[in-house]
Amino acid sequence: MTDDTLSLRPVYALLADGSTVGVRTAEPGDHEQLQSFYEEMSPQNLRLRFFGISPRSAAMAADRACGAERPGYRAMLAETRGRVIGLAEYDTGGAGDTAEISIAVADEVHDRGVGTLLVEHLVSAARAQGVTTFTADALCENREVLRLFADLGLRTARRFEGPEVRCTIRLDEDDTYLSAVEERGRAADVASLEPLLRPDVVAVVGAGRTPRSVGRAILHQLHTGGFTGRLFAVNPSATTVLGMRCHPSVGALPRTPDLVVVAVRAAVVPDIAEECGKAGVRALLVVTAGLDAHQAQDLLADCRTYGMRLVGPNCLGLSNTDPKVRLDATFAADHPRPGTAGVAVQSGGVGIALLEGLSRLGIGVSSFVSLGDKYDVSGNDMLQWWVSDSRTDLALLHLESFGNPRAFSRTARRVTRRIPVLTVDAGRTEAGRRAAASHTAAAATRTMTRQALFTQAGITATRSVGELLEAAALMHSQPLPADTRVAIVSNAGGVGVLTADACVEAGLALPPLAPEAMDDLFAVLPRGAAVGNPTDTTAAASEEQLRNCLDRLLRSPDIDAVLVALVPTAVAAAIGEDLARALTCGLTHRARTVVAVRLEQDLPVKLLPATHGGTIPSYADPQAAARALSHAARRAAWLARPMGTVPDLDGVDPRRAQQIAGAYLAVQSDGGWLEPRICADLLDCYGIPQLPWAWAETESDAVSAADRLRGTDGRVVMKAHWPGLLHKSEERAVHLDLQGDAQVRAAFRDFESRFASRMTGVVIQPLAARGTELFAGVVQDEVFGPLVLFGLGGTATEVLADHAARLAPLTDQDVHDLITAPRCAPLLFGTHGARPVDLEGLESLLLRVSRMASDLPQLAEADFNPVLATPGGVVVLDARVRLLPRLPQDPY
């Protein structure tokens, strides 16, 4: 947190061993425990912190941390169960952008990452206050703190001065630092999930005696699933359940559980959580639904206070099929089939559907977590687990809300390089978003924003659970196609046509076969076969002929995948041939993608076992097969491209931009749309090119401005302005093609007569040259952060809605995608002999807009329309920016 008031609330984070601590700003009421914190330190620890030992050191340090607020000073403490275990401070001395820092950690928690975690939060707070450099003095023998600075991921320089070393740390937020923070978070995350997914001892609280008891069902699943650890039942009103002895409370158990499953009525859940925390339980699975706001707050507070990870509430449960664990703490009807797919869902119903579908396909699951209302453990946590567990090769997510999308995106970008990550894009419609918000008590997100997140992170987004399973079947069983070139083979011409239509509609290509390839096929197929793409083998083709046909196609360098569409025929049945065998015999050694369509198939998708090992996906519908192939091709393209970097930009002055925003909001405390002069100053801070313009408040000033700005053709444009004016064309507040002083005067008088009570002035610009009118803009999403939009501009921008979007900060790859995604993209690259626009200038503009949006949390909206793109350059013709009083937050 960066605001003094907000940062008094603890931010909970994980240490290297997976335990939880709260990090917050020190306040006057902490003086007594901070003094005790220092007094309890060993003499050696005190000497390393203060370079000596003095009876007054503890009191003086507590005085400084808890003293009156002063500019340039921040003290942040780490606490667990109400006890301070670490303190970090920075002090600029009241001026400048360099701060001296110091760190102290309690003796018993050394080497658990307390100091590093505090420094990370201190870095975030310092950056928000304009601090660019930390300095620190340490004794040369203080290896722990020197290693802490060296491992931060920030640029650190050392200067030795006798027994001391002076460290200088630059606070640049580059990818190296973010990667270091993420890696520390990943290790801590995985360690914290161990008691959830690899517990040695599990207890079920609320295992009732009635058949309808959810706790009883979970206890039954744990027992019959063969859980390898100790299992206990807790029920003060029963002596045995399912033949197991019941204990009256968690505290009465002979061993402290790692994981406690809570299946009691909502009113009792907080009390059970507190009892578990006091007993030393490390993780809770709360399946109970219907907690009110107070109960929910108490449950989460107990988990934070006692450092317990929490799954739920309102969930189906969790499982881990690892043979060393065999944990099935769900109340699903069947045990999940062991396998290699990691599954995390918010909806229990979707979870059951995925578990059944993956079992039916034979893929199975490595681990499954029903996140429910997702108070704590999230999809981000599960991605960290799966990429580390050595068993998962496919990740399936169903998320209705996102707690920290930018951290999720960064994690997903790394994970999707290792394993496919697939999701159902839920809540695409307004009705769906209302349902999601009602079901999860979480704010719904905009479709475009969510799709930008998925695209940038390399996540395969599907539109239904069925489509998710279709894509998962292909990615699990087949190599990814190198590109989108597909060859279609069928034994019925009509089916081949349907399949061809489905492939083209899914964005796949059907290249014509080379003459030599066609000759090869003619040589092995029966007379009457139509060779091409699609190829119709006719119903007379035998199993061997079909196999030879596929073998030759799979050797072609012009084909990335082969889609085989088969229908049962009386001819094949009469001679006892199974054409599907042609798919599964002798083809899996090829490094090409093979997919089948069998219209008579009873299930939407199956995996056909191949004789040489592996499987081939078979679909009952050509469109399903084409969709799955398209998803696989997009994943292959994403993996083949570079990761992308956020380029450095010249001519950028973020400090000046913050000053402009701060000065405006100091006057307009509720925020608003900037008037043209302030808007232009803000754009200048980021080097965003603007068409020359002048401000005029009188008729004579307008004439003088027009004289100065007239181009070679002598024509200018006049735009009226007043606070809150957004759509000038709709208000008829623009006069174009003004020539001579008389027309300028007439235009000004027209505005005065129509807008006299509102107009504060006019903007005069030279008439712009012809070019492609584009749109660029920013929307600050409350959950996802800044979203950069780009597309066709002009007066038709809202009608045509030809826009693409990506989340800031944009990488060079994101900018390329943003420019090529809209339907208008061919206009930019030159068509019908026209020269391309200045693409380098367009990329620079979007990167600068992204940087401005990332630097300024106060930037609620920015609208640049039109942006004129020509072969000679890119320039903003009209700009609107709205600021709101928002505080910076570190998304990482």
Side-chain angles (χ1 to χ4, degrees), residues 504-538:
V504 173
E505 289 168 353
L508 301 169
L510 301 180
L513 301 182
E516 55 271 21
M518 296 177 68
D519 290 341
D520 286 345
L521 295 185
F522 275 124
V524 299
L525 290 175
R527 294 181 63 182
V531 173
N533 198 5
T535 288
D536 179 7
T537 68
T538 75

Side-chain angles (χ1 to χ4, degrees), residues 298-320:
D298 286 349
L299 168 62
L300 189 56
D302 288 332
C303 290
R304 297 303 193 211
T305 298
Y306 297 104
M308 297 182 291
R309 294 309 306 262
L310 167 66
V311 167
N314 185 24
C315 69
L316 177 67
L318 58 84
S319 68
N320 183 356

Side-chain angles (χ1 to χ4, degrees), residues 54 230 266 348 384 537 582 696:
S54 166
R230 293 287 303 276
Q384 304 278 28
T537 68

